[in-house]
Amino acid sequence: MRAIAMLSIATKVERIVMDSPFLSEGLRRGLINLSELARQLQPQLESDLWKPVGQAAVVMALRRVSERLPDHAASDIVLAQKTGQLTARTDLVELTYRQSECTDECHRQLLAQAGRRRDLFLTVTRGVNEVMVICSRLLIPLVEEVFAGERQLARLENLNAVTLQLTAESHRTPGIYHAILKKLAWDKINLVNLISTHSELTLIIDKDQTGAAFAVLSKLVTH
């Protein structure tokens, strides 16, 4: 019975740690007092597990999780081997519309007319109920004209994009996106949106955080 309880505590603690980039990074760097963290996690664990949880058991679970986290050097080597150059695009706007019977045609018209402008940024993402357009500000008049009859749900200004070029085999690396995003979160860089293709990862970021994001991501690039 005790082994089952310990397994439940260990599983829950590991989930809490892995869901938080700050906890996982702090444990990996040895910056967190395990006893104090265990004390803070006790109420949440007791509520989730519906039973009393001893602090010693939580400390043991935290110690085991921290021992399994990859060290800093190993993590950087994996990322360096799987990343390439960085590119940035500035002065972007994100527009989100409610999907309708006409949005496919709007999408087609937009790509047909904007396709001649290779110097400008444009991406269109179709979700279940929404269509999102992220584009250079110079394309906004065209977007608004094409989507004039559609219901706009949101508009975000002052955005930039940073694109990380990946290798063709990056999709075979477990956790590569998590490792990149965790480093941004650790530096308190807010991610507005994320766009990925087979070998590119584009991060949409507020204008005032672009420099910090570029600095973090540039450390992952092999020159």
Side-chain angles (χ1 to χ4, degrees):
M1 195 71 177
R2 181 178 296 274
I4 296 176
M6 287 295 294
L7 179 60
S8 298
I9 293 171
T11 301
K12 186 62 181 177
V13 166
E14 182 172 5
R15 186 170 302 169
I16 291 173
V17 170
M18 300 311 294
D19 284 347
S20 170
F22 305 104
L23 285 181
S24 58
E25 189 75 359
L27 288 173
R28 184 182 62 76
R29 297 187 182 191
L31 301 177
I32 296 178
N33 183 298
L34 297 185
S35 296
E36 178 60 24
L37 178 57
R39 187 184 65 80
Q40 294 187 26
L41 292 180
Q42 269 184 283
Q44 178 182 346
L45 291 169
E46 291 179 345
S47 175
D48 292 346
L49 299 175
W50 292 72
K51 60 189 174 187
V53 173
Q55 184 174 335
V58 182
V59 170
M60 184 181 297
L62 287 170
R63 184 174 292 114
R64 288 175 176 172
V65 171
S66 63
E67 290 172 352
R68 292 199 302 271
L69 293 172
D71 61 74
H72 189 65
S75 176
D76 283 350
I77 289 172
V78 171
L79 289 172
Q81 290 174 341
K82 297 299 182 182
T83 56
Q85 66 182 32
L86 286 173
T87 57
R89 303 300 291 268
T90 61
D91 203 16
L92 306 182
V93 180
E94 177 183 303
L95 300 168
T96 302
Y97 295 92
R98 173 67 65 184
Q99 191 165 175
S100 72
E101 295 179 354
C102 301
T103 49
D104 283 349
E105 178 60 21
C106 295
H107 184 183
R108 187 191 66 77
Q109 291 184 28
L110 177 61
L111 293 181
Q113 297 184 51
R116 311 184 192 100
R117 300 296 305 272
R118 300 296 182 182
D119 56 320
L120 299 179
F121 184 92
L122 173 64
T123 180
V124 181
T125 302
R126 176 177 175 176
V128 177
N129 299 305
E130 300 175 348
V131 174
M132 179 188 70
V133 180
I134 302 177
C135 65
S136 300
R137 185 172 298 279
L138 290 175
L139 288 174
I140 289 298
L142 174 59
V143 175
E144 292 178 334
E145 176 186 346
V146 170
F147 284 85
E150 303 305 307
R151 180 186 172 191
Q152 186 179 117
L153 301 177
R155 179 179 178 132
L156 301 179
E157 304 268 357
N158 300 316
L159 303 176
N160 289 342
V162 179
T163 298
L164 184 63
Q165 188 72 40
L166 307 175
T167 70
E169 296 300 315
S170 61
H171 67 284
R172 299 184 184 278
T173 304
I176 186 170
Y177 285 177
H178 172 71
I180 295 170
L181 300 181
K182 182 175 67 174
K183 290 181 179 293
L184 294 173
W186 182 255
D187 282 48
K188 298 182 180 180
I189 297 170
N190 180 54
L191 184 65
V192 175
N193 220 313
L194 182 152
I195 307 163
S196 65
T197 60
H198 180 63
S199 60
E200 291 182 354
L201 177 64
T202 298
L203 309 175
I204 306 300
I205 301 167
D206 288 318
K207 179 180 179 181
D208 59 359
Q209 290 195 309
T210 305
F214 206 90
V216 171
L217 295 173
S218 63
K219 296 177 183 178
L220 309 178
V221 177
T222 300
H223 297 285

